[in-house]
Amino acid sequence: MSRLILVLGDQLSHGLSALRDADRTKDVVVMAEVAAETDYVQHHPKKIALIFAAMRKFAAALRADGWDVRYCELDDTDNTGSIVGELLRRADQTGATDVVVTEPGEWRLITALKHAPITTHILPDDRFIASHHAFETWASGRKQLRMEYFYRDMRRKTGLLMDGKDPVEGKWNFDHDNRKPAPEDVAFDGPLRFTPDADVAAVLDLVEARFGGHFGDLHPFWFATTRGQALQALAHFVDHALARFGDYQDAMLSENRFLYHAVISAYINIGLLDPLEVCEKVAAAYAAGTVPINAAEGFIRQIIGWREYMRGIYFLEGPQYTERNMLGHTRDLPDLFWGGETQMRCLSKTVQQTKQEAYAHHIQRLMITGNFALLAGIDPQQVHEWYLAVYMDAFEWVEAPNTVGMSQFADGGIIASKPYVSSGAYINRMSDYCKGCAYKVSQKTGEGACPFNLLYWHFLDRHRDRFKSNARMGNMYRTWDKMAADRRTTVLADADEVLARLDAGRVV
Ligand code: FAD
Ligand code: DLZ
Ligand code: SF4
């Protein structure tokens, strides 16, 4: 009896556990473009196009490899609109009674599959280095789940950048060397871009027609849509950008959106690249002497450290994680996140870039949009849904811990030991946004004062009870307490005025 092998849009890996488990002479692969997956948030059109184009190309590659693939396009007349609906339709067609699937990266879909009226076998997703069991074992009994210690275990486990039992060059973490401000010139032209072929163009037409109303520009579309192209994009990054990745990891420039970043997260997350192979290529460049340790270590830490850790937390904390709101923030997400007018140049540039590219790098996500949402007290669930929608690499297992935990501190400190907040001074140091902004970053109060300067103190003041005993925040409170009382009153009143403008839908 044949079985149905479900391959989801972010499972486009030839070594997928569900495919390894299958028999290509008997089993039937099911892939489907469905409204339930395109509509659970208003995904950026570029993200939908990337997933559909890569799914179609992956299906073609499987067929060429001898698999029987039943692929349903979004506009097919008999499309049932959901993954479970498609499985039931294919079961009717083929007589299959069982489904095999690699575990999806989202509780929503796991639950739907577990409750599907057909026997479903969910296999571990072993494209990740740490299994659920390994992460639970690491986490159990620890008071704090700090990424750094998990990361060291991952280094030991993979042997990446290890010299026997010790880290190469004697240190686990070179983050202190990775905080240079924005450079004058960037000697990298950004990620490798691909011209859409006829198959990609057909997807672009479909996405334009069906999702043209979603936030985000579909054109120009230049993403890799096959593993071969993604490997070329990776090689381009390793050869031309990696050496400076570490130095400028945290820098931001208005007119250079990618700096020395890899722009491969979406390719890894949908399965075109394997995280370990990516790290091995980076480690090989270090071993060959073409990139310094702060670049290689900084990059590998993001993947075997942060990426694996975020997934571990998502599955450890369970389906309700996305509803956490430890700071009780309830303000609605302002329209400026959807491209509405703002005078804050850093926000306007980051949102505009997000709209055009479906991409912003980590510090833009954390210290511009995330920082503002946290300081302004925006409802973390709305913030989470925004991040899940607008970035091409956004899947809940990685987006939610980054947003709800790291960026919004809504999990109460499981991920971050203190909230990632800053005044305008940090943004000014790390970017060129403040030059030409309608606000003055050096101004602390009054009309024209940078809203980050005002909201920063407002945040610390309103959450004093929660954070006053956090050792890492002692300096912030000491600075605030040393300020003259009437100045503090003015700062808080000016911050309230900014928040009132937000609430009234006026331009900030
Ligand atoms: P680079 O800066 O070149 O880094 C290399 C790789 O490291 C990335 O490709 C990615 O695979 C990995 N990586 C780096 N940081 C992280 C991290 N914090 N968590 C997981 N992996 C990481 N990343 C996503 O993949 N999907 C998301 O939905 C997502 N949402 C985020 C939301 C917020 C609020 C924040 C602060 C960060 C989020 N990140 C997310 C993490 C990070 O911003 C992106 O992985 C990174 O910007 C992708 O760009 P890049 O490929 O150029 O990465
Ligand atoms: C994100 C996404 C979108 C937009 N569309 C599809 C789709 O039509 N078919 C599909 O199989 N997968 C899609 N995906 C990816 C899924 O939403 C993803 O597998 C789950 O969110 C789990 O990570
Ligand atoms: Fe952003 Fe403030 Fe700088 Fe303007 S002055 S760009 S609002 S940090």
Side-chain angles (χ1 to χ4, degrees), residues 29-40:
V29 173
V30 176
M31 295 180 73
E33 301 166 5
V34 289
E37 298 308 306
T38 59
D39 294 353
Y40 62 87

Side-chain angles (χ1 to χ4, degrees), residues 412-429:
I414 295 173
I415 288 178
S417 55
K418 74 173 179 58
Y420 282 94
V421 286
S422 82
S423 67
Y426 172 84
I427 296 172
N428 190 33
R429 189 165 67 250

Side-chain angles (χ1 to χ4, degrees), residues 135 230 440:
F135 193 83
K440 263 204 175 146

Side-chain angles (χ1 to χ4, degrees), residues 45-46 48-49 52 202-212 218:
K46 272 192 167 79
I48 301 177
F52 284 8
V203 168
L204 295 180
D205 289 345
L206 169 75
V207 172
E208 181 98 72
R210 291 286 292 267
F211 307 104
L218 179 59

Side-chain angles (χ1 to χ4, degrees), residues 69-89:
V69 183
R70 310 289 167 104
Y71 191 98
C72 185
E73 296 190 357
L74 192 71
D75 276 350
D76 286 353
T77 44
D78 42 6
N79 189 322
T80 56
S82 74
I83 295 292
V84 171
E86 284 305 290
L87 287 171
L88 297 179
R89 185 162 74 85

Side-chain angles (χ1 to χ4, degrees), residues 215-470:
F215 170 83
D217 299 354
L218 179 59
H219 298 284
F221 182 91
W222 48 260
F223 298 152
T225 52
T226 61
R227 172 166 164 76
Q229 289 180 336
L231 282 168
Q232 285 178 48
L234 171 64
H236 181 76
F237 163 73
V238 172
D239 291 347
H240 303 292
L242 175 61
R244 293 189 188 84
F245 168 84
D247 287 351
Y248 299 113
Q249 205 177 329
D250 290 0
M252 297 169 278
L253 281 174
S254 325
E255 301 311 324
N256 191 314
R257 296 162 169 194
F258 306 106
L259 282 104
Y260 296 101
H261 288 274
V263 197
I264 57 164
S265 47
Y267 306 151
I268 304 179
N269 294 352
I270 67 173
L272 299 183
L273 294 177
D274 176 69
L276 210 46
E277 82 180 331
V278 170
C279 293
E280 278 159 0
K281 292 209 157 100
V282 169
Y286 167 73
T290 57
V291 305
I293 186 65
N294 71 315
E297 188 282 319
F299 188 87
I300 285 173
R301 176 167 15 98
Q302 306 309 317
I303 295 192
I304 66 170
W306 283 113
R307 186 173 184 273
E308 293 283 330
Y309 169 85
M310 290 299 183
R311 176 174 184 264
I313 296 285
Y314 178 75
F315 282 103
L316 188 71
E317 291 299 314
Q320 268 70 52
Y321 185 76
T322 55
E323 292 161 25
R324 303 266 170 101
N325 189 356
M326 284 295 267
L327 299 178
H329 285 169
T330 54
R331 182 161 278 111
D332 282 337
L333 191 76
D335 196 41
L336 67 88
F337 276 77
W338 299 111
E341 195 184 344
T342 174
Q343 306 218 65
M344 300 174 73
R345 191 161 181 270
C346 51
L347 273 176
S348 149
K349 287 285 179 189
T350 303
V351 171
Q352 185 187 41
Q353 164 180 338
T354 299
K355 178 170 176 286
Q356 291 173 356
E357 312 284 0
Y359 176 84
H361 72 65
H362 187 68
I363 295 301
Q364 294 172 305
R365 298 187 206 195
L366 188 64
M367 298 312 292
I368 306 292
T369 40
N371 188 10
F372 183 78
L374 179 56
L375 293 180
I378 313 290
D379 170 8
Q381 184 131 16
Q382 293 184 40
V383 181
H384 151 61
E385 285 177 6
W386 183 79
Y387 279 98
L388 190 56
V390 302
Y391 290 113
M392 63 165 161
D393 57 16
F395 299 91
E396 203 176 84
W397 64 267
V398 56
E399 176 280 329
N402 267 297
T403 305
V404 175
M406 180 185 253
S407 163
Q408 298 304 297
F409 207 81
D411 66 3
I414 295 173
I415 288 178
S417 55
K418 74 173 179 58
Y420 282 94
V421 286
S422 82
S423 67
Y426 172 84
I427 296 172
N428 190 33
R429 189 165 67 250
M430 299 310 294
S431 79
D432 64 355
Y433 291 138
C434 301
K435 288 181 204 118
C437 180
Y439 294 104
K440 263 204 175 146
V441 71
S442 56
Q443 198 177 320
K444 306 288 196 273
T445 56
E447 207 174 317
C450 166
F452 277 99
N453 293 344
L454 302 166
L455 295 175
Y456 174 72
W457 295 121
H458 193 280
F459 173 88
L460 291 178
D461 187 67
R462 73 178 186 265
H463 291 301
R464 185 173 196 119
D465 283 349
R466 178 171 295 278
F467 295 126
K468 67 181 175 210
S469 46
N470 182 324

